[in-house]
Amino acid sequence: MALPDSFKAFVVSETPNGDFQRSIVDRQLNTLPDHDVLIEVHYSSLNYKDALSGHGNKGVTRHYPHTPGIDAAGVVAESQVAHLKSGDSVLVTGFDLGMNTSGGLGQYIRVPAQWVIPLPPGLSLKESMIYGTAGFTAAMCIHRLINHGVTPDQGEILVTGATGGVGSLAIALLSGLGYKPVAVSGKADAIPFLESLGAVSVLARDEAEAQAEKPILKARWAGVVDTVGGKILSKAIKMTRYGGAVTCCGLVASPNLSLTVFPFILRSVALYGIDSAECGRELRQVLWEKLAGDWRPAGLAGLSREIDLNDVDNYMARLLKGANQGRTVVKMIAG
Ligand SMILES: NC(=O)c1ccc[n+]([C@@H]2O[C@H](COP(=O)([O-])OP(=O)(O)OC[C@H]3O[C@@H](n4cnc5c(N)ncnc54)[C@H](OP(=O)(O)O)[C@@H]3O)[C@@H](O)[C@H]2O)c1
C-alpha cells in the first residue's frame, strides 16, 4: 500500500494559559508512535471518553498535543507481525488508543499488534464503529448478566443513560436477545427513539433518582446496565431482585456510590464492574463475533449518524453536555 507523507488528524493542543484548542491539522506519519501495525483508519466514532480527552481531561490524556479517538476501523497499511497483513480489515477499541497513544481521529494510527482485532465476518468497517467502544461495552455488560444467570423470563432489565452510546446499544441488544429493557432517560422527547430501540417502558431521570438514599427499596429489576453512577446506580442496586446482577461501567452523573450492605446480604445482589479498555483478547474476539452475528440488532445502521472531522468539535461538546443521542460515526477518508 502506497503511504502518504502526511495525513489529516484532529489535534487537541494546550495553550500556555491552560486552555485547550481543537483543530484539524496535517501530521507526518513519522510522528506516530513506534509500534508493530500501521492502520489506515476509514472510520472512527465518538465516545464520552473522547470528549474528555478533547477537552483536556488529564485523567484520560496526560500530554498534549494529542489526537483522541479510542475507536478505529480500517485497513492494515504496514505490519511487522505475520498474522496481520497489509490490506487486512481490522478494528481497534480501547487499550491506550486515543488516551496517550495517538487515536482514531487521525487518518492513520500505529499500534501494538495485540490491540488489533481482525474485522469479524459479517460486519463492515462502518458497522464496527456504529458499535465501537460503546457497543462493545454494552455487549460486555450483557455477557456478564447472561453469565450470572439472568434470563429474559426473570423480569425487566434497567438501562440508564439510555439515549447515550452505551445505553442505546444496550437496549437494542437486550431487546434483540428477548429481554425487557426499561430505559432511564433525562430526555422527555426521546421516548419514541427509546421505544424504537426496544425499550418496554421509559423512566424519567428524576423518578430513577427519587428515594435513592433509602437503604433498600421494593425489588423490580432482574438485571441492570448502568452507565451513569451516583444516585441512579445506588437506587438501581436497591431495587434489584433477589439473586439479580448489576453492571456498572460509567460515571456521567457521578463517580460516587452511596450504599449500605443490605442489597448484598438480604437479596444476594451482585455488582459487577465493567472495563472494556483492558478486556482480554479472547473475550474481545468472542463478543465481536456475537456483535457481527447472533446479537446484531435489527436496524443497526439506524442507530448512528455519520459525520466527518469538521463536525467532531461540535459533537464532543454535545457529549459533555449529556445531549448525545445514539452513536456518532466519524468518516475518516473520502470516497
Ligand atoms: N467502563 C468502560 O469500559 C466504559 C466504556 C464505554 C463508556 N464508559 C462510560 O460510560 C458512560 C457513558 O458513555 P457513553 O459513551 O454512552 O456516553 P454518552 O453517549 O454521552 O451517554 C451518556 C448518557 O447519560 C445520560 N446522562 C448525561 N448526563 C447525565 C447526568 N448528569 N445524570 C444522569 N444521566 C446523565 C444521557 O442520557 P439520557 O439523557 O438518556 O439520560 C447521556 O446521553 C461514560 O461515563 C463513559 O465514560 C465506560
Side-chain angles (χ1 to χ4, degrees):
M1 183 182 281
L3 295 177
D5 291 333
S6 67
F7 64 95
K8 297 266 179 241
F10 183 87
V11 174
V12 185
S13 308
E14 187 169 8
T15 65
N17 62 6
D19 291 336
F20 290 85
Q21 288 177 342
R22 291 161 292 280
S23 54
I24 298 163
V25 302
D26 288 313
R27 286 184 56 186
Q28 303 298 303
L29 273 184
N30 64 12
T31 63
L32 289 172
D34 185 19
H35 291 302
D36 303 331
V37 187
L38 179 71
I39 297 168
E40 181 188 65
V41 179
H42 292 209
Y43 292 96
S44 182
S45 88
L46 290 186
N47 297 277
Y48 189 74
K49 204 188 245 182
D50 299 317
L52 293 176
S53 173
H55 284 251
N57 185 308
K58 299 253 169 129
V60 176
T61 299
R62 286 188 302 277
H63 304 294
Y64 294 85
H66 172 66
T67 294
I70 64 172
D71 290 342
V75 171
V76 173
E78 277 181 349
S79 168
Q80 291 169 34
V81 294
H83 68 279
L84 292 168
K85 301 209 165 31
S86 179
D88 287 356
S89 292
V90 294
L91 65 93
V92 183
T93 65
F95 295 106
D96 191 50
L97 186 69
M99 294 180 68
N100 291 291
T101 300
S102 186
L105 294 174
Q107 290 174 321
Y108 283 83
I109 56 172
R110 200 183 280 121
V111 295
Q114 69 265 29
W115 296 4
V116 182
I117 299 287
L119 190 71
L123 204 62
S124 68
L125 290 172
K126 180 173 175 181
E127 286 170 334
S128 75
M129 290 292 99
I130 295 175
Y131 285 126
T133 286
F136 181 72
T137 304
M140 280 186 78
C141 294
I142 293 165
H143 170 78
R144 191 51 100 179
L145 296 180
I146 292 171
N147 275 6
H148 183 83
V150 179
T151 51
D153 57 308
Q154 289 172 0
E156 297 162 316
I157 310 291
L158 187 71
V159 178
T160 69
T163 64
V166 180
S168 59
L169 278 163
I171 291 171
L173 290 167
L174 284 163
S175 174
L177 290 168
Y179 288 90
K180 293 186 270 306
V182 172
V184 174
S185 180
K187 301 181 185 83
D189 59 356
I191 294 175
F193 169 69
L194 293 166
E195 288 176 345
S196 76
L197 297 177
V200 294
S201 60
V202 180
L203 296 180
R205 197 182 288 167
D206 302 353
E207 200 181 334
E209 286 179 351
Q211 299 190 306
E213 65 291 348
K214 296 227 167 158
I216 194 118
L217 290 156
K218 186 166 178 231
R220 177 166 175 191
W221 316 121
V224 176
V225 174
D226 178 66
T227 71
V228 306
K231 284 187 190 175
I232 291 179
L233 173 58
S234 167
K235 182 169 178 184
I237 293 169
K238 294 164 186 176
M239 286 184 68
T240 299
R241 288 164 65 162
Y242 193 93
V246 177
T247 56
C248 154
C249 72
L251 46 50
V252 289
S254 169
N256 297 325
L257 182 57
S258 172
L259 280 177
T260 67
V261 296
F262 291 125
F264 308 114
I265 65 171
L266 297 181
R267 293 209 182 126
S268 230
V269 168
L271 175 59
Y272 290 106
I274 300 294
D275 169 46
S276 61
E278 295 295 328
C279 171
R281 229 189 129 70
E282 203 176 321
L283 180 57
R284 253 176 216 272
Q285 269 172 335
V286 167
L287 291 180
W288 275 111
E289 274 162 29
K290 286 186 186 299
L291 289 171
D294 298 353
W295 285 21
R296 172 197 282 265
L300 179 62
L303 298 178
S304 74
R305 67 188 66 74
E306 183 179 300
I307 64 168
D308 65 25
L309 276 183
N310 297 305
D311 305 315
V312 164
D313 195 18
N314 177 20
Y315 277 87
M316 278 186 173
R318 287 194 202 193
L319 278 159
L320 288 180
K321 278 191 258 165
N324 180 44
Q325 181 166 306
R327 292 281 295 147
T328 304
V329 169
V330 187
K331 188 172 169 75
M332 295 298 300
I333 56 167

